[in-house]
């Protein structure tokens, strides 16, 4: 039992088709203070585990109907059953330890077993269970804290943004050019922080399964062209060009570049990718190419968006971790590491994929593939 939870009694589920074996296990374990439930077949064990998960399972391998290997596999593959240690019990020398461990069991003991050895293995697996439970509990508390904190941060940031804009517009009084410049810098910093907070909130919504998509027919050509036009002033400030190439769609027809998705979320992805391309490019420009994969009766068609820049590029060792949460780039302009992670989450929720190819000093190409809707 874990420290601070002395009142909690560990629950053990023993599964064996032989009643004498169950009674023996119950006697050994209850003397040690454990609460023991007894089940005589695999199907009943699965039902009991789903309804009332134990802390550890002692599972006989050789049972009629569903044997211990199959029960183990079903437990490990069941989406609603969290991790529970499984100790396999067998009286047969020829039983495969490898098969049991590959199925997902944690340990193996042969009958007739020594009582002290059995209890030692049970204690060991319970320590593992408690450790994992505690880690999951701490991770959940940490995520809940960050989620609540992030949500609470939005209100003062939005309020500050509105107030700073009022100052910049000289709503209250005339201000000097130097003061206007300082306020503009404060607005940019505040908006960067607000964007990071919004991204963090969206990430937690996706991970908690609380994100609801508003699916509709989306024209990706239109979305890309609108975002490119909106971000072109940022590129012009740096002397960069932003070009959208849609020539590959001209002969396809009215359904060209159309996907089923949430327009706001897909727009968020395109805005993030084009914005990053501009941010990390000092000379040259950004080229966005939209196409479709050839259609056939066997394979589904994809809408493919390539966003190519002539920026700094990404080192090969960094590319493998680029879409991880909070994975920041090594460049001095790198942000929070949330934008690309969120983009990947959004694209994957649309049954699509996002990938990158890059060469240091020559630039990067981010490719988004989405199932075509027709």
């Amino acid at each position: 039992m874990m420290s601070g939870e002395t009142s909690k009694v560990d629950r053990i589920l023993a599964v064996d088709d032989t009643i004498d074996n169950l009674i023996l296990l119950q006697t050994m374990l209850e003397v040690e203070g454990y609460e023991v439930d007894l089940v005589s077949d695999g199907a009943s064990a699965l039902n009991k585990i789903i309804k009332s998960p134990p802390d550890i399972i002692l599972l006989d391998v050789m049972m009629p109907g569903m044997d211990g290997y199959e029960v183990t596999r079903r437990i490990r593959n069941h989406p609603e059953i969290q991790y529970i240690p499984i100790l396999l019990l067998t009286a047969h020398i020829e039983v495969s330890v490898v098969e049991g461990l590959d199925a997902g069991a944690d340990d193996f003991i042969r009958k007739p077993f020594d009582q002290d050895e059995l209890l030692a293995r049970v204690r060991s697996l319970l320590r593992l269970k408690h450790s994992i439970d505690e880690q999951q509990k701490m991770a959940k508390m940490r995520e809940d804290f960050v989620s609540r904190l992030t949500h609470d941060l939005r209100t003062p940031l939005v309020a500050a943004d509105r107030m700073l804009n009022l100052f910049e517009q000289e709503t209250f009084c005339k201000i000097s050019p130097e003061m206007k410049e300082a306020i503009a810098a404060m607005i940019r910093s505040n908006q960067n922080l607000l964007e990071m907070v919004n991204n963090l909130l969206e990430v937690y919504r996706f991970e908690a399964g609380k994100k609801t998509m508003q699916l509709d027919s989306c024209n990706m050509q239109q979305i890309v062209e609108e975002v490119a036009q909106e971000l072109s002033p940022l590129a012009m400030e740096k002397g960069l060009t932003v070009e959208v190439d849609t020539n590959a769609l001209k002969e396809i027809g009215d359904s060209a570049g159309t996907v089923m998705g949430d327009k706001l979320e897909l727009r968020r992805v395109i805005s993030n990718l084009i914005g990053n391309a501009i941010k990390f490019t000092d000379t040259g420009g950004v080229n966005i190419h939209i196409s479709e994969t050839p259609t056939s009766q066997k394979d589904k068609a994809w809408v493919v968006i390539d966003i190519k820049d002539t920026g700094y590029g990404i080192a090969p060792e960094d590319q493998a971790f680029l879409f991880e949460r909070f994975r920041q780039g090594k460049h001095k302009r790198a942000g929070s590491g949330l934008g690309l992670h969120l983009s990947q989450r959004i694209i994957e929720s649309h049954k699509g994929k996002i990938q990158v190819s890059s060469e240091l000093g020559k630039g990067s190409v981010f490719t988004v593939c989405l199932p075509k809707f027709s």
Side-chain angles (χ1 to χ4, degrees), residues 28 68 126 136 169 199 236 288 303 327 336 338:
M28 289 181 179
L126 283 172
Q136 291 176 341
Q169 296 163 13
N199 283 342
M236 291 174 63
I288 305 107
V303 175
R327 175 69 69 162
S336 64
L338 283 171

Side-chain angles (χ1 to χ4, degrees), residues 242-313:
V242 177
E243 297 178 355
V244 180
D245 179 7
T246 61
N247 290 327
L249 300 180
K250 288 182 177 179
E251 298 181 0
I252 296 177
D254 294 337
S255 66
T258 302
V259 304
M260 178 60 72
D262 187 309
K263 185 174 182 179
L264 290 177
E265 297 301 326
L266 292 175
R267 187 184 180 91
R268 186 200 298 270
V269 172
I270 300 302
S271 180
N272 180 60
L273 294 179
I274 296 178
N276 279 351
I278 295 171
K279 180 179 180 181
F280 294 106
T281 301
D282 285 340
T283 58
V286 179
N287 183 272
I288 305 107
H289 180 263
I290 311 174
S291 61
E292 289 188 9
T293 57
T295 58
S296 67
Q297 292 182 346
K298 293 182 179 179
D299 301 322
K300 61 182 177 180
W302 295 84
V303 175
V304 181
I305 303 164
D306 293 307
I307 299 173
K308 182 178 181 180
D309 64 58
T310 54
Y312 304 101

Side-chain angles (χ1 to χ4, degrees), residues 12 15 28 41 78 107 117 129 148 175 218 220 251 256 287 294 303-304 320-321 338 363:
I12 299 176
V15 187
M28 289 181 179
D41 64 90
H78 199 291
D107 206 348
E117 181 185 0
K129 169 67 171 171
R148 290 175 184 274
I175 57 176
C218 298
M220 293 308 299
E251 298 181 0
N287 183 272
V303 175
V304 181
F321 308 102
L338 283 171

